[in-house]
Amino acid sequence: MLKLKKLCCPAIYLVMLTLPTPLLAEPDATETISYYTPASNSVWETKNIEPGFYDSPYTISLFNAQHGEDSERLLDQTYTVLGSGFGVLGVFALMPTSVTNWQEQDESLANKWLDHVKQSPVWDRDDLYLNVLGHGYFGGVYYQSARKSGYRQWDSFIYSFMMSTFYWEYGMEAFAETPSIQDLILTPILGWAYGEWAFKTEQDIYRSDGKLFGSTLLGDSALFLLDPVDTIGRNVNYLLGRDILKAGTGYFTYQQGKAGYGEQVENQVGLQIHYSYGIDDSHASAGISNKRNKHSTFTTRTVDPVTTGIIGFSAGAIYVNPNRKWGLRSGYGQQWSLGLYFTNNISTRLNYSTAQLKDKVSNESVKYENYGLDTQYYFNHNQGLRPFITSGFGETMYQESVDSKTFQINAGLGLHYKLNNKWSVQSDWRFVYTPELNTDENQFSTSLLYRFSEGEVSR
């Protein structure tokens, strides 16, 4: 059952049901209108950027909008998210315990939050679809807030990282649980990949006169699913002929809740939408609709070297040789990583390894896990075959038991071979040491690496 939480005017929902996107009103006789509308007041690709800016490609312009980025729009978006989030938290605090499941004897919310943020992040056991799809989607929501305010990809990623880390993991969600290691990494990185794809897909639909596969209905539906907030906002603003809705944010939710009868539960899908508004009489800026600039010259081409091509995902096999203290036989397992390949020399990634090892006495299977944040430095970086060194830190765990969790540091050597811009193969050996228990182990792994977007491109 679809449940929509109407956090704005009900007419906003009616607009999507009755009006095509995004232009409906009759144009003035002197006005030339094209169907497709830019997603915000401006986009990075339309700006005239001095080539020297890219000499330091990882410069952060998020706090210094010197290239015409719409910092006011992004600030409105941020205030809207912060206000709505804490508003919802306040509502939950006032609701009966039968609804929230917060017991009366529970400690205060402030103490809950403080207890959780004081702990080190944990490796959570959420379902894969939640960690990958759910958090990737929410990261994309944050990412597009900045991207559609005229910021480039790197600044939009930094914004998504800040919002997902400080607003969500160490903010809202910390009232309920300890921050998650996967969420801190996966949310902004996968949000970057999804958010940029959604942003470009939306632009492509606009350039195709609002059609997808030749269908206006599919185009309208896709635009709504890609960004329901901007789609609704553009319709409302254009219908009223003024930029009433300045900025907004929203997202789909999924949860299980009581069906209202008996003990049955149901899957509930919701859409939360929040807007900031004001009347623009000066026409000095355009809100969500940007209705005074109908034609977009947006192009997916960019000379910016920092794109989703620096995101890399790898999967492969690993051989684990544990310390004799554990009483376990060596064994094979799987290894995954997600990281940022900043240059041909430097990368950093979240590594996760798991294997089923056999107890030497009982021959019972013992689940081994190793996860950590590692950094690599590549030699011979302009060639296909690149030796590299790696080091990092993390935790080792057995049988998914927190009691067995130990801090580890690691270092090693490896070889990286570039197949093409998108695909590479790499093998490495790592020595893992746990200071607390004075134990060590050896790991040997081979993985296939995929780079997103255009992948590794020499510029």
Side-chain angles (χ1 to χ4, degrees):
M1 180 174 66
L2 181 66
K3 291 191 175 181
L4 299 179
K5 298 182 178 179
K6 297 187 179 180
L7 302 181
C8 54
C9 174
I12 290 177
Y13 292 95
L14 181 61
V15 170
M16 271 307 301
L17 295 175
T18 60
L19 304 179
T21 305
L23 304 179
L24 295 169
E26 286 294 328
D28 295 333
T30 59
E31 194 174 31
T32 300
I33 293 181
S34 178
Y35 180 94
Y36 36 90
T37 305
S40 72
N41 293 345
S42 62
V43 290
W44 180 263
E45 285 76 4
T46 65
K47 295 177 172 61
N48 185 20
I49 307 299
E50 291 292 332
F53 171 77
Y54 298 114
D55 292 340
S56 301
Y58 292 99
T59 299
I60 298 174
S61 304
L62 193 62
F63 309 105
N64 182 20
Q66 57 183 327
H67 303 102
E69 301 92 335
D70 193 345
S71 57
E72 291 186 6
R73 180 185 189 275
L74 183 58
L75 192 61
D76 280 343
Q77 296 275 61
T78 305
Y79 286 155
T80 302
V81 172
L82 295 177
S84 62
F86 285 100
V88 170
L89 182 66
V91 170
F92 270 94
L94 297 174
M95 293 175 70
T97 57
S98 60
V99 176
T100 63
N101 291 323
W102 292 347
Q103 302 302 316
E104 292 182 358
Q105 64 269 25
D106 285 348
E107 58 184 323
S108 68
L109 284 178
N111 288 335
K112 279 176 176 288
W113 180 85
L114 189 59
D115 289 343
H116 291 151
V117 299
K118 287 194 304 184
Q119 301 178 44
S120 60
V122 299
W123 191 264
D124 70 44
R125 300 296 171 183
D126 290 342
D127 292 334
L128 183 63
Y129 76 87
L130 180 61
N131 275 332
V132 174
L133 299 180
H135 285 277
Y137 171 76
F138 279 100
V141 171
Y142 299 135
Y143 175 89
Q144 288 202 75
S145 293
R147 193 73 165 97
K148 291 188 172 184
S149 296
Y151 290 88
R152 67 190 182 115
Q153 292 192 38
W154 178 244
D155 285 305
S156 302
F157 164 72
I158 295 297
Y159 178 79
S160 178
F161 167 77
M162 293 173 59
M163 291 297 289
S164 62
T165 299
F166 302 111
Y167 164 69
W168 188 250
E169 285 299 317
Y170 280 92
M172 299 300 298
E173 196 168 47
F175 286 101
E177 61 185 28
T178 304
S180 158
I181 295 173
Q182 300 104 301
D183 296 350
L184 290 169
I185 304 297
L186 298 183
T187 305
I189 294 181
L190 293 181
W192 184 0
Y194 165 73
E196 185 61 21
W197 171 84
F199 176 77
K200 290 180 178 178
T201 300
E202 185 179 6
Q203 295 293 328
D204 288 340
I205 294 174
Y206 283 133
R207 288 202 303 276
S208 299
D209 289 334
K211 297 178 180 179
L212 179 64
F213 301 122
S215 169
T216 301
L217 177 61
L218 289 178
D220 289 343
S221 301
L223 288 172
F224 177 72
L225 293 174
L226 289 169
D227 195 333
V229 178
D230 269 12
T231 302
I232 294 173
R234 271 192 292 269
N235 275 297
V236 172
N237 283 349
Y238 200 83
L239 182 66
L240 298 176
R242 312 180 78 177
D243 286 324
I244 301 298
L245 300 179
K246 296 296 183 181
T249 186
Y251 45 83
F252 291 99
T253 62
Y254 172 86
Q255 63 182 3
Q256 286 189 329
K258 291 184 178 180
Y261 44 87
E263 296 298 323
Q264 296 185 16
V265 296
E266 62 183 2
N267 297 325
Q268 300 176 351
V269 179
L271 173 61
Q272 293 201 21
I273 297 179
H274 313 272
Y275 286 105
S276 62
Y277 62 91
I279 299 177
D280 177 16
D281 291 321
S282 65
H283 299 287
S285 64
I288 290 175
S289 69
N290 194 19
K291 58 186 174 58
R292 278 170 296 283
N293 182 12
K294 303 299 185 302
H295 185 79
S296 173
T297 57
F298 172 82
T299 173
T300 56
R301 292 176 60 254
T302 176
V303 297
D304 193 340
V306 184
T307 69
T308 52
I310 77 170
I311 302 175
F313 170 77
S314 73
I318 187 170
Y319 178 77
V320 181
N321 181 18
N323 189 279
R324 290 183 302 172
K325 179 178 180 178
W326 299 109
L328 300 173
R329 296 189 179 94
S330 301
Y332 293 92
Q334 304 85 41
Q335 183 181 77
W336 297 271
S337 78
L338 180 69
L340 299 178
Y341 293 73
F342 296 104
T343 68
N344 291 356
N345 287 109
I346 297 290
S347 69
T348 184
R349 58 196 185 204
L350 175 68
N351 266 308
Y352 173 75
S353 306
T354 182
Q356 293 292 338
L357 307 179
K358 297 290 186 178
D359 187 280
K360 291 182 178 179
V361 178
S362 66
N363 205 38
E364 292 182 355
S365 183
V366 175
K367 184 174 183 178
Y368 162 90
E369 292 179 289
N370 185 293
Y371 44 85
L373 190 64
D374 306 329
T375 298
Q376 295 73 40
Y377 181 84
Y378 301 85
F379 300 92
N380 202 32
H381 63 274
N382 289 323
Q383 303 299 318
L385 185 62
R386 306 167 188 172
F388 67 88
I389 56 176
T390 179
S391 64
F393 63 93
E395 293 176 328
T396 298
M397 185 184 299
Y398 293 87
Q399 295 293 69
E400 299 184 353
S401 171
V402 177
D403 294 336
S404 70
K405 183 175 69 174
T406 57
F407 174 78
Q408 56 91 354
I409 55 176
N410 65 80
L413 306 171
L415 281 175
H416 176 103
Y417 182 69
K418 176 183 174 181
L419 301 173
N420 54 45
N421 286 345
K422 286 180 172 287
W423 295 95
S424 302
V425 177
Q426 56 189 24
S427 298
D428 63 60
W429 158 79
R430 290 193 299 167
F431 177 80
V432 181
Y433 177 67
T434 55
E436 183 180 356
L437 301 176
N438 192 28
T439 61
D440 57 71
E441 61 194 51
N442 291 282
Q443 296 182 359
F444 303 87
S445 67
T446 298
S447 301
L448 183 64
L449 170 67
Y450 174 78
R451 296 275 291 270
F452 286 68
S453 187
E454 73 273 22
E456 178 187 316
V457 178
S458 299
R459 298 184 187 273

